[in-house]
Amino acid sequence: MSGHPPVRTIQGTTRLYAVLGDPVAQVQAPALMNPVLAELHRDAVVVPVHARPQHLEAVVRGLQQVENLDGMFVTVPHKAAVRHLADRCGTTVDIVGSANVLRREADGTWLAENFDGSGFVAGLVGAGHEPRGSRAVLVGAGGAGSAIAAALLAAGVDRLGVYDTDTAKLTALAARLDGHWPGRVHTLSGPNPRDADLAVNATPLGLRADDPLPFPLDSLPPGCVVADIIMKPRETRLLREAAARGHRIHHGIHMLEGQLNSYRAFFDLR
């Protein structure tokens, strides 16, 4: 029908990419990547795969044996665990301790990399929120949060405060980051982003309508940018309430959009 996208034909020659998560209803990678594959006339498709944490290793090991599967995208809550299921890890993965993409190499081994952080910073800069020289607070030191922390420091953030309810995970991340950017990382005793130019939610809080706010908004200074990495819903409660208070907001989809060029290069989609 006129105005509708062409129907993709899945056939015996089609190459596969899987998106692993729990849940997966919110994932945006298929909607972002499948049009790219179609534009490049690639006989390939990106599909969501719902994998519970207790089944992750079995799912990944099974997918690694699927001969026409070329890669995997990884989302919440598997980014830290999946790195141990790859044969090799990129430098970013070693620094942040998590991965968000795996690629089958020519010899059949699997390489893990993480573009969450670079994508987040690219999205920030593209939206006019330059992080260099700023004071940032990041709530959530999980897979995506760890990558974002490293990327913000690499982008020139003067001071980065990080909080997570898992103190062991928080301490370990701060130690790894301090080895590369000494004196610029500070662990916080609570999710309180006062004195911040940029406040980032890197927790899953906001996926559900009844979730509490990941951090309070009443202590944010005027002009603070409030960013969320949750992509669906687009307007999380955090972003709605921050906008109502007059803060500039930054949507989660920008992090994925900022990774598009990295994905294209990583999977040789030129």
Side-chain angles (χ1 to χ4, degrees):
M1 294 176 62
S2 177
H4 288 260
V7 176
R8 297 292 303 278
T9 301
I10 308 299
Q11 50 198 357
T13 56
T14 301
R15 309 300 297 182
L16 302 177
Y17 297 87
V19 186
L20 308 181
D22 178 29
V24 291
Q26 83 288 353
V27 297
Q28 299 296 305
L32 185 70
M33 294 301 300
N34 282 321
V36 172
L37 295 170
E39 179 185 346
L40 295 172
H41 302 288
R42 293 294 182 99
D43 183 12
V45 65
V46 179
V47 296
V49 174
H50 192 172
R52 301 287 189 190
Q54 65 268 31
H55 302 143
L56 179 66
E57 182 171 3
V59 170
V60 171
R61 294 304 185 204
L63 289 171
Q64 287 172 338
Q65 302 306 312
V66 176
E67 292 295 334
N68 65 327
L69 187 127
D70 292 334
M72 304 179 215
F73 300 89
V74 185
T75 188
V76 173
H78 303 316
K79 295 181 181 184
V82 79
R83 67 185 294 264
H84 302 293
L85 303 176
D87 299 294
R88 295 187 298 115
C89 294
T91 303
T92 301
V93 177
D94 289 333
I95 294 173
V96 306
S98 64
N100 78 331
V101 68
L102 281 77
R103 179 181 73 197
R104 186 195 299 275
E105 302 287 70
D107 62 359
T109 60
W110 287 82
L111 171 67
E113 193 48 273
N114 195 323
F115 300 119
D116 275 336
S118 59
F120 180 81
V121 169
L124 271 183
V125 173
H129 308 308
E130 174 59 56
R132 183 172 300 278
S134 67
R135 301 161 299 171
V137 169
L138 175 73
V139 177
S146 299
I148 291 169
L152 286 173
L153 291 164
V157 165
D158 276 351
R159 178 186 173 95
L160 177 66
V162 186
Y163 173 75
D164 195 279
T165 54
D166 186 331
T167 55
K169 180 166 61 179
L170 176 63
T171 301
L173 173 63
R176 292 198 305 272
L177 296 175
D178 195 62
H180 295 269
W181 298 279
R184 292 164 58 192
V185 183
H186 305 271
T187 59
L188 304 178
S189 58
N192 196 345
R194 61 166 54 96
D195 298 326
D197 303 307
L198 170 67
V200 183
N201 173 41
T203 78
L205 293 175
L207 281 173
R208 299 175 179 84
D210 58 350
D211 280 343
L213 291 177
F215 51 79
L217 297 169
D218 51 9
S219 61
L220 293 179
C224 178
V225 176
V226 177
D228 208 329
I229 70 167
I230 290 173
M231 300 177 197
K232 191 176 182 180
R234 173 179 169 83
E235 301 291 341
T236 60
R237 178 188 169 193
L238 175 71
L239 295 183
R240 289 197 309 271
E241 295 193 12
R245 289 172 175 263
H247 294 291
R248 293 176 293 165
I249 61 173
H250 186 73
H251 295 92
I253 190 62
H254 296 305
M255 182 175 77
L256 183 58
E257 293 171 342
Q259 297 178 67
L260 185 56
N261 286 335
S262 297
Y263 287 151
R264 292 179 67 143
F266 188 68
F267 288 117
D268 197 25
L269 300 174
R270 298 184 177 87

